[in-house]
Amino acid sequence: MGIKRIAKLANVSIGTVDRVLHKRSGVAKETEKRVLKIIEETGYVKNTSASRLKLASVKKIRMAVLIPRENNTQQWNYWRLPKEGILKAVEELSEMGVEVDFYSFLNSTSFAARGHEIFAEDYDALVTVPFFKKESNELQQLAKAKDIPVVFLDTEIALDGPANFIRQNSHNAGRVAGRLLHGLVGSEGDYFIVNIINDKGVHASGQQREDGFRAFFKSINQKVSIQSIQHAVDVAPVFVGEMIEKLKKDAPKGIFVTNSRAHLIPRLLMSHDVRNAFVVGFDLNERNLMCLQRDEIDFLINQKPDYQGYAAIKGLFNFLTKEDASALNLQIPVEIIVKENAPQF
Amino acid sequence: MGIKRIAKLANVSIGTVDRVLHKRSGVAKETEKRVLKIIEETGYVKNTSASRLKLASVKKIRMAVLIPRENNTQQWNYWRLPKEGILKAVEELSEMGVEVDFYSFLNSTSFAARGHEIFAEDYDALVTVPFFKKESNELQQLAKAKDIPVVFLDTEIALDGPANFIRQNSHNAGRVAGRLLHGLVGSEGDYFIVNIINDKGVHASGQQREDGFRAFFKSINQKVSIQSIQHAVDVAPVFVGEMIEKLKKDAPKGIFVTNSRAHLIPRLLMSHDVRNAFVVGFDLNERNLMCLQRDEIDFLINQKPDYQGYAAIKGLFNFLTKEDASALNLQIPVEIIVKENAPQF
DNA sequence: AATTATTCCGTTAACGTTAACGTTATCTAA
DNA sequence: TTAGATAACGTTAACGTTAACGGAATAATT
């Protein structure tokens, strides 16, 4: 038994124990000490199910989720994945009285606007994405002032103060990519980094992945040729100038695409009649997986976006109900996918 | 609201609804139909927390776990990992009144003996390992007769009837290993499969991993030289005869260790002054991870034994409380580990 | 001195589910 | 006919936690 046993041992009623546990007023200092001592000694832990059973109907836990709008123009919606993870977590926690509302943004302006709307309502927690540094810092400040926990997903970016992040270490992911490509290409080949620039907000992860990639080669003391290509989104990357020359050489080539569009590369390689090239990219979208099946992409790196969403909700729930903040900051492992361990769809 | 609303809509008391939900006697066929119809229409789902809140003190859920004894002689205990996962799940479910007892075995005889002891008690579920085909089949039969769900972890083996497995597909893991080694070695090298034979019970997974490895090279239409080495446990493997010759050749070499002892290989290679050899093995034990850090092992494949244990307990709980069997059969993904994404310890 | 606040604490009704226990009404056997 | 059996259903206390409510004792104010 829980609170009842504590009450008996402390010679008080369960009401008083409850007051102590919730730090509410109306308890004499002496009594509080006595109760706290017994709570300590017995190692009492609150039964969250019982607590939520009562509160599920009276005091719901409301969370807001602010993520980019799903664009229907493209067949692959990255942001549907964290959403699915979130919905799975909410389903599991629905009998505990947990609800979420989804908000979406298109740019930094609407991000800030939705953020303020969210804080106008009284949510208990917020899950979002640190796409825009300035606006994310503002949001974090607002949340801190209102004592509302925020979890930032997906994007690797440094904010001013302390904050909760559930995401992959992009630098590390880049190093893994370096390891994988180097294994295939060796020290005698040419390396290319294809960095597709996003118009809406800097995708800082791209730069970090590139840094990590280069750091890997430093770590093994290999001086290889690594060339970066910046390219605008929504246009297939092109190889220009001396790159074409290098691509036409016999030496093996390694191409590291720092975002989810590695699937654009194989066609390009074929049009330049490049063979002996290896490709590593990010994210398990259909096109990438197709290329993997056709041996046109060699490795994909997954950042488990669905799990990120799932973990954020679960972590926030544990924080709000058990003041256990241990799951609010997670490093998502760098998952390596090849044809043989790829999920079938 | 749940049962109460159903009762009101069906013009019966909550007691009757409860009887219908639990298929207990004492309900007229007419009434039962009416209640079932409303349950269907409203999409009622039972509040498991509330249910377990009541039952946690009256009707505990008791699970038995039967896994190999941890051998203290070796510094690395594989079986501690599923155990840790199990304990984590039990902690999460303790407020739901879930308890587990651990049993351990040394050989097929003690496996069968412990199994019978377990079925003499009245456990609600069993988690074990299908090490021994005959005895595992007997256990499964016993469980079926008593209507007690069993989950088999870890080992890839086929049982006679249908059964629940949470484990990695070893054949697939072998194919992944083939892909990884081939990427490093290429078609011009020699491949070796080191298969360490366990005295206590056939470790069927080893053979399947080997088959998968060979199947990979078939799938890419590459005829490469692959040589198998069988070796007894607790003795460092030795290379004999023509292998030594091949090892001394300049061609790159790929070594696939089908179990967790890949860490034995590097020393051996050094003693034969073999360079240009790549090693892939299984499991994240300290020695393997050390070799990974030293670039003596190139890839490790993880089968997440801790997660297997965790998932088994959670899956059984969901089956027993929500008759949701969806998590009793899981394919553990083939996790690829390199130096850069290895867990630090 | 009488009234009003304030402090401190106990009591209690819920939350949704379960199962034992009661209570009818109908039916069977003496 | 009546006692006893049975079928069908309602009532209720409990699980652990929460928070509103109320009450007694003391302190502060008129």
Side-chain angles (χ1 to χ4, degrees):
Chain A
M1 217 179 311
I3 216 180
K4 216 180 285 181
R5 197 164 65 98
I6 304 292
K8 199 160 286 172
L9 290 171
N11 270 321
V12 292
S13 72
I14 59 170
T16 302
V17 177
D18 187 61
R19 271 183 283 262
V20 172
L21 284 171
H22 292 86
K23 286 161 192 158
R24 275 180 287 171
S25 62
V27 182
K29 278 148 282 167
E30 278 301 309
T31 320
E32 188 182 9
K33 265 187 194 167
R34 187 152 36 96
V35 173
L36 282 174
K37 194 181 163 206
I38 292 187
I39 287 174
E40 186 80 17
E41 284 172 1
T42 56
Y44 164 82
V45 280
K46 143 169 100 175
N47 184 324
T48 307
S49 307
S51 166
R52 291 309 303 167
L53 169 60
K54 161 80 194 225
L55 297 180
S57 49
V58 187
K59 195 192 279 184
K60 293 213 180 295
I61 292 181
R62 298 179 66 223
M63 304 190 189
V65 177
L66 176 56
I67 52 179
R69 164 178 252 129
E70 298 180 29
N71 51 342
N72 301 357
T73 58
Q74 296 186 240
Q75 67 279 59
W76 147 253
N77 277 315
Y78 177 83
W79 294 105
R80 227 186 42 206
L81 300 177
K83 195 169 182 176
E84 275 168 12
I86 287 170
L87 288 173
K88 193 190 164 204
V90 169
E91 198 198 327
E92 285 182 24
L93 295 175
S94 66
E95 70 182 23
M96 303 285 200
V98 174
E99 294 175 345
V100 306
D101 290 335
F102 287 95
Y103 294 76
S104 66
F105 64 89
L106 283 165
N107 48 42
S108 60
T109 315
S110 58
F111 175 81
R114 292 296 93 70
H116 281 90
E117 286 174 26
I118 287 167
F119 281 111
E121 310 264 332
D122 61 329
Y123 286 101
D124 300 296
L126 170 61
V127 178
T128 186
V129 163
F131 257 35
F132 314 102
K133 190 162 184 170
K134 178 165 152 277
E135 288 80 3
S136 298
N137 273 320
E138 285 172 9
L139 220 69
Q140 172 68 28
Q141 285 301 103
L142 256 168
K144 201 176 182 181
K146 287 196 151 204
D147 205 35
I148 291 172
V150 180
V151 171
F152 291 100
L153 297 186
D154 187 78
T155 303
E156 177 104 29
I157 201 175
L159 295 187
D160 292 344
N164 302 308
F165 297 100
I166 296 181
R167 63 190 178 188
Q168 194 171 77
N169 184 316
S170 298
H171 191 271
N172 237 296
R175 290 177 65 220
V176 169
R179 160 75 60 184
L180 297 174
L181 262 186
H182 178 258
L184 296 171
V185 174
S187 316
E188 309 297 317
D190 294 318
Y191 291 88
F192 300 93
I193 300 175
V194 181
N195 215 326
I196 293 172
I197 297 162
N198 205 323
D199 51 345
K200 37 186 168 182
V202 188
H203 205 303
S205 305
Q207 186 57 48
Q208 305 230 30
R209 286 166 177 168
E210 172 166 354
D211 293 347
F213 187 79
R214 292 179 184 274
F216 166 77
F217 288 95
K218 268 199 187 141
S219 79
I220 61 167
N221 287 317
Q222 290 269 357
K223 293 224 167 182
V224 298
S225 139
I226 305 177
Q227 202 158 346
S228 296
I229 306 173
Q230 310 294 324
H231 209 285
V233 77
D234 286 334
V235 186
V238 289
F239 298 123
V240 286
E242 55 172 336
M243 291 188 202
I244 295 183
E245 291 173 38
K246 281 190 181 173
L247 279 170
K248 289 198 171 156
K249 282 199 298 183
D250 261 354
K253 287 153 279 283
I255 298 172
F256 175 40
V257 184
T258 61
N259 62 16
S260 64
R261 302 189 166 226
H263 57 81
L264 294 174
I265 302 300
R267 218 183 337 155
L268 213 67
L269 292 175
M270 279 174 47
S271 75
H272 283 80
D273 200 40
V274 176
R275 303 171 192 287
N276 204 17
F278 301 96
V279 180
V280 172
F282 279 87
D283 296 337
L284 306 186
N285 58 56
E286 279 189 33
R287 293 186 174 194
N288 279 350
L289 287 171
M290 190 83 81
C291 291
L292 205 66
Q293 292 305 323
R294 293 194 196 129
D295 295 313
E296 295 169 350
I297 287 179
D298 297 280
F299 287 102
L300 286 173
I301 293 176
N302 186 22
Q303 46 183 334
K304 307 195 194 186
D306 48 346
Y307 176 72
Q308 290 189 28
Y310 179 83
I313 301 297
K314 288 282 196 157
L316 281 167
F317 177 77
N318 282 340
F319 175 67
L320 291 170
T321 58
K322 317 188 222 274
E323 38 247 53
D324 167 17
S326 64
L328 293 184
N329 266 288
L330 294 180
Q331 285 263 16
I332 302 298
V334 180
E335 192 176 63
I336 301 169
I337 305 293
V338 295
K339 183 179 179 177
E340 284 72 21
N341 72 341
Q344 27 260 24
F345 57 101
Chain B
M1 221 178 308
I3 215 179
K4 216 180 283 181
R5 196 164 66 99
I6 303 292
K8 200 158 285 174
L9 289 171
N11 270 320
V12 293
S13 72
I14 60 170
T16 302
V17 177
D18 187 61
R19 270 181 284 262
V20 172
L21 284 170
H22 292 85
K23 285 160 193 159
R24 277 180 285 174
S25 62
V27 181
K29 277 149 282 166
E30 279 299 308
T31 319
E32 189 182 8
K33 265 187 194 168
R34 187 153 35 97
V35 172
L36 282 175
K37 195 183 161 204
I38 292 186
I39 288 174
E40 185 80 15
E41 285 172 0
T42 56
Y44 164 82
V45 282
K46 145 169 100 175
N47 185 323
T48 307
S49 306
S51 166
R52 291 310 303 167
L53 169 61
K54 161 82 193 222
L55 297 180
S57 48
V58 186
K59 194 192 280 184
K60 293 213 180 296
I61 292 181
R62 298 180 65 222
M63 305 189 188
V65 177
L66 176 56
I67 51 179
R69 164 179 250 130
E70 298 180 29
N71 51 343
N72 301 358
T73 57
Q74 296 187 238
Q75 67 277 56
W76 147 252
N77 277 315
Y78 178 82
W79 294 106
R80 226 187 41 205
L81 299 178
K83 195 168 183 177
E84 276 168 11
I86 287 169
L87 289 173
K88 192 191 165 204
V90 170
E91 198 198 327
E92 285 183 23
L93 295 174
S94 66
E95 70 182 22
M96 303 286 200
V98 174
E99 294 176 347
V100 306
D101 290 335
F102 287 95
Y103 295 76
S104 66
F105 65 87
L106 283 165
N107 48 41
S108 61
T109 315
S110 58
F111 175 81
R114 292 298 91 70
H116 280 91
E117 287 174 25
I118 286 168
F119 281 111
E121 310 264 334
D122 61 330
Y123 286 102
D124 300 295
L126 170 61
V127 178
T128 186
V129 163
F131 258 34
F132 314 102
K133 190 163 183 171
K134 179 166 153 276
E135 288 80 2
S136 297
N137 273 318
E138 286 173 8
L139 220 69
Q140 172 68 27
Q141 284 301 104
L142 256 168
K144 202 177 180 181
K146 287 197 152 203
D147 205 36
I148 290 172
V150 180
V151 171
F152 291 100
L153 297 186
D154 187 78
T155 303
E156 176 104 28
I157 200 175
L159 296 186
D160 292 345
N164 302 308
F165 298 101
I166 295 180
R167 64 192 178 187
Q168 194 170 77
N169 184 318
S170 298
H171 191 271
N172 237 295
R175 290 177 65 222
V176 169
R179 160 76 59 186
L180 297 175
L181 262 186
H182 178 258
L184 297 171
V185 174
S187 317
E188 308 298 317
D190 295 317
Y191 291 89
F192 300 93
I193 300 175
V194 180
N195 214 327
I196 294 171
I197 296 163
N198 205 324
D199 51 344
K200 35 186 168 183
V202 188
H203 205 302
S205 305
Q207 185 60 48
Q208 305 229 31
R209 287 167 177 169
E210 172 165 355
D211 293 348
F213 187 79
R214 292 178 183 275
F216 166 77
F217 287 95
K218 268 197 188 143
S219 79
I220 61 167
N221 287 317
Q222 290 270 357
K223 292 225 168 181
V224 298
S225 140
I226 305 178
Q227 203 158 343
S228 295
I229 305 172
Q230 310 294 325
H231 209 282
V233 77
D234 285 335
V235 186
V238 289
F239 299 122
V240 285
E242 54 172 336
M243 289 188 204
I244 294 184
E245 292 173 35
K246 283 191 179 173
L247 279 171
K248 290 199 169 153
K249 282 200 297 182
D250 261 354
K253 289 151 277 284
I255 298 172
F256 175 39
V257 184
T258 61
N259 61 18
S260 63
R261 302 188 166 227
H263 58 81
L264 295 174
I265 302 299
R267 218 182 338 156
L268 213 67
L269 292 174
M270 279 173 49
S271 74
H272 283 80
D273 200 39
V274 176
R275 306 171 190 287
N276 205 17
F278 301 97
V279 181
V280 172
F282 279 87
D283 296 337
L284 306 186
N285 58 56
E286 278 189 34
R287 292 188 176 192
N288 278 351
L289 286 173
M290 190 83 82
C291 291
L292 204 66
Q293 292 305 323
R294 293 193 196 129
D295 295 313
E296 295 169 350
I297 287 179
D298 297 280
F299 287 102
L300 285 173
I301 293 175
N302 187 21
Q303 47 183 332
K304 307 194 194 186
D306 47 346
Y307 177 71
Q308 289 189 29
Y310 179 82
I313 300 298
K314 287 280 194 155
L316 281 167
F317 177 77
N318 282 340
F319 175 68
L320 291 170
T321 58
K322 320 188 220 272
E323 37 249 52
D324 168 17
S326 64
L328 294 184
N329 267 286
L330 294 180
Q331 284 263 16
I332 302 298
V334 180
E335 193 176 65
I336 301 170
I337 305 293
V338 295
K339 183 180 180 176
E340 285 72 21
N341 73 341
Q344 26 260 24
F345 57 102

